[in-house]
Amino acid sequence: MNVYAQTPVDLTTHQPSTAPPSGATLEWHNGLPISAANLITGSQVTAATPGIYYAVYNYGGTPACYSQPSSLRVLTNTCPATIVDLSTAVDATSVPASATVTYHSGSTPSAANQLSSTTVATASTVTTYYAAYKTYDASNSSYCYSNVSPIVVVQTVCCLATVAPALSTTQVSNVCPAPTVNLSNIVATNQPANTTLTWHSGVPATAANQLTNVSSLPAGTYYAAIYDPVNNCYSGTAVTPVTATLTNCPLPLQAKVWLQGALFGVTAANGVMRDDLRAGNRLPASSPYTSWSALTSTQPVSNTAAVFGVTGNDAIVDWVFVELRSPSNFSLVVDSRSALVQRDGDIVDVDGVTPIQFSQAAAGNYYVAVRHRNHLGVMTATAVPLSLTGTVVDFRNPATSTYRISTALTNQSQVSVAQGMAMWAGNALQDKVVIYQGTSNDVSAIALQVKGPANITGSPTYVLNGYNTGDVNLDGKTIFQGTGADVNFIYLNVTSNHPGNISGTNIFIIREQLP
């Protein structure tokens, strides 16, 4: 049991109130025989600890001449006990024959103030008891008492916090999405009753270094201690260190986007994208963007039957590519990854359900960009604050501000559709522009794909089935000429859908609005 605090005794309150004899000084000693070696100092006199002290008059001389000593015993409890046995202050062998030792609460002994027991409870204040010899006077048929010897009783506070806590763990880390460590779930298996487990930044454990908030801490070493609220004491150096480490939490993003190609033919304002590629088993299990050097790796779809078997609004439409760009330099990509997009526009992980996460970027502000293999990319107009709890960036919503190279009417980041705003379709050449007629036009790219090796006769009306960039409307068919020709969608975008092409010329160029 730790001794936390002990009440000191001022010995001057127990010395004669009269002045010392002429030429003498009053001294206190802590041993016999009286000598200069056992003389105690002034500070020791006024704050004496338990023991036996002797008051004498020093008359001076060489060697010093001392009076007979008068003893004073100071007792205290021995933890964990809170009581004192007064009889331990008396030498039983020196008790006169026919006398008994009695203990009293007053300096004038009497039957009225005689204690019924030799054991007394300690108190926060110093208490003085008095021992006397009690004898029977047969001539008077009464008891008489000798002069008393004072016994001073002081309290030693016993702290219940005595051992280092045995903890359920001494290694702890943050649990994502929390970026900090929580110590409040750690428990001590050896904690005494009526005590609490406390956490500290240093050793020994004190009120000054006790932590008030242990549920949100940075990495570091912290010290668990036990606190006794009754006696207001800590376990001191009896602490248990705990190492707290931080792991980087993946940064989630709930992005939403429309692909115009999958909305061709969808006229209802509450409509969703077509999933012809999925329904026709055209979707690849692996990302088509391997050459785009994603910073967060994306595994192939492990269970294509389950992921690509989902129908309805959560059915998969295609693969997209999402980038996080530096808030100070929107041309610098700090994290990127492939992902899947559902019919309702939700961009999800390869399980087809979970919002995407980035492994390289920490929580902070980023420009968010979405790119596609045959649509023009789109990016937020400003850096968006992304947190570990997830942030929604909805490019479908016309209210979402998107980046434009300039405010000129010819620079439009997305195309207006019945459902909101969608990424421009028609970039078959994958070169950041949609061109119907002119140099490096996308129509020629479609023609080259259609007239490829599978088209033995080289017919311009050949329908190329599969997963190709020339498939502008994402129906699994690349058509150069004939019903449903993909070049018609490019022509429609260039001549009619872009507000910047006021004259409706077919040589207008739709430019991707990415830096």
Side-chain angles (χ1 to χ4, degrees):
M1 182 69 66
N2 286 352
V3 173
Y4 177 67
Q6 198 171 72
T7 307
V9 176
D10 184 354
L11 298 181
T12 63
T13 61
H14 297 277
Q15 62 192 32
S17 58
T18 58
S22 177
T25 57
L26 180 66
E27 295 179 347
W28 285 93
H29 295 252
N30 60 8
L32 292 175
I34 302 298
S35 69
N38 51 38
L39 174 68
I40 63 176
T41 65
S43 60
Q44 292 174 312
V45 169
T46 56
T49 56
I52 302 177
Y53 297 93
Y54 304 91
V56 297
Y57 289 123
N58 185 344
Y59 290 93
T62 304
C65 179
Y66 299 101
S67 67
Q68 286 297 315
S70 176
S71 64
L72 176 68
R73 288 169 171 80
V74 179
L75 298 182
T76 190
N77 55 301
T78 301
C79 290
T82 58
I83 59 174
V84 168
D85 186 352
L86 298 177
S87 65
T88 60
V90 176
D91 182 3
T93 62
S94 64
V95 178
S98 73
T100 59
V101 181
T102 56
Y103 301 91
H104 301 263
S105 59
S107 59
T108 301
S110 67
N113 60 23
Q114 183 176 335
L115 303 179
S116 60
S117 172
T118 62
T119 57
V120 293
T122 59
S124 58
T125 57
V126 176
T127 307
T128 303
Y129 298 94
Y130 301 90
Y133 293 133
K134 178 182 178 181
T135 59
Y136 183 73
D137 185 352
S139 62
N140 293 320
S141 300
S142 63
Y143 288 97
C144 59
Y145 298 92
S146 67
N147 292 330
V148 296
S149 295
I151 302 173
V152 177
V153 174
V154 298
Q155 184 182 61
T156 294
V157 176
C158 301
C159 185
L160 297 176
T162 60
V163 296
L167 301 178
S168 54
T169 182
T170 57
Q171 301 284 333
V172 66
S173 184
N174 58 309
V175 178
C176 292
T180 54
V181 170
N182 183 1
L183 300 179
S184 62
N185 294 324
I186 299 177
V187 297
T189 59
N190 63 337
Q191 184 177 330
N194 303 316
T195 64
T196 58
L197 183 68
T198 57
W199 292 94
H200 302 261
S201 58
V203 180
T206 65
N209 59 25
Q210 183 176 348
L211 302 173
T212 57
N213 178 14
V214 299
S215 61
S216 181
L217 293 171
T221 300
Y222 302 98
Y223 303 90
I226 293 175
Y227 173 66
D228 176 1
V230 175
N231 296 305
N232 189 29
C233 56
Y234 297 88
S235 54
T237 57
V239 298
T240 302
V242 170
T243 302
T245 57
L246 295 181
T247 58
N248 291 328
C249 295
L251 183 62
L253 173 65
Q254 300 173 33
K256 304 172 187 290
V257 72
W258 290 132
L259 298 176
Q260 184 197 19
L263 286 172
F264 284 127
V266 181
T267 58
N270 62 349
V272 294
M273 292 184 286
R274 293 176 291 100
D275 59 341
D276 299 340
L277 292 174
R278 180 204 65 80
N281 294 320
R282 307 296 189 192
L283 287 175
S286 298
S287 167
Y289 308 113
T290 54
S291 63
W292 292 10
S293 303
L295 297 175
T296 292
S297 62
T298 304
Q299 298 300 314
V301 176
S302 59
N303 190 340
T304 55
V307 176
F308 295 156
V310 174
T311 60
N313 286 357
D314 290 340
I316 301 303
V317 174
D318 200 358
W319 288 87
V320 293
F321 195 78
V322 187
E323 298 174 338
L324 302 183
R325 301 192 178 202
S326 168
S328 59
N329 178 6
F330 49 39
S331 296
L332 176 62
V333 176
V334 297
D335 208 343
S336 57
R337 60 161 296 160
S338 298
L340 301 171
V341 61
Q342 298 175 342
R343 290 186 67 195
D344 59 5
D346 293 337
I347 296 177
V348 295
D349 213 328
V350 293
D351 62 358
V353 178
T354 308
I356 59 173
Q357 296 180 328
F358 294 88
S359 63
Q360 303 302 309
N365 296 341
Y366 299 96
Y367 288 90
V368 179
V370 179
R371 298 167 61 194
H372 184 262
R373 59 194 177 88
N374 67 359
H375 285 63
L376 299 182
V378 61
M379 186 178 77
T380 56
T382 60
V384 178
L386 303 185
S387 71
L388 293 177
T389 57
T391 305
V392 175
V393 177
D394 191 353
F395 288 105
R396 306 169 309 171
N397 190 341
T400 299
S401 297
T402 51
Y403 173 79
R404 295 167 62 186
I405 296 173
S406 75
T407 57
L409 196 60
T410 53
N411 292 315
Q412 300 294 326
S413 57
Q414 296 197 96
V415 60
S416 178
V417 294
Q419 298 77 20
M421 302 300 292
M423 295 170 61
W424 288 103
N427 186 23
L429 202 56
Q430 295 184 320
D431 60 354
K432 294 180 176 286
V433 290
V434 174
I435 302 176
Y436 178 75
Q437 184 171 316
T439 304
S440 300
N441 67 78
D442 294 284
V443 173
S444 298
I446 295 174
L448 286 174
Q449 292 180 23
V450 168
K451 296 178 181 180
N455 185 358
I456 299 175
T457 64
S459 170
T461 60
Y462 179 81
V463 177
L464 176 65
N465 294 313
Y467 191 72
N468 301 288
T469 60
D471 178 16
V472 176
N473 67 340
L474 305 181
D475 66 351
K477 302 173 183 178
T478 303
I479 303 175
F480 177 63
Q481 287 183 7
T483 304
D486 291 284
V487 297
N488 294 338
F489 300 114
I490 297 176
Y491 179 81
L492 186 65
N493 269 350
V494 170
T495 61
S496 302
N497 290 338
H498 200 292
N501 187 4
I502 299 174
S503 64
T505 176
N506 63 4
I507 61 172
F508 182 82
I509 298 175
I510 304 175
R511 301 186 183 278
E512 183 177 71
Q513 301 297 296
L514 287 181

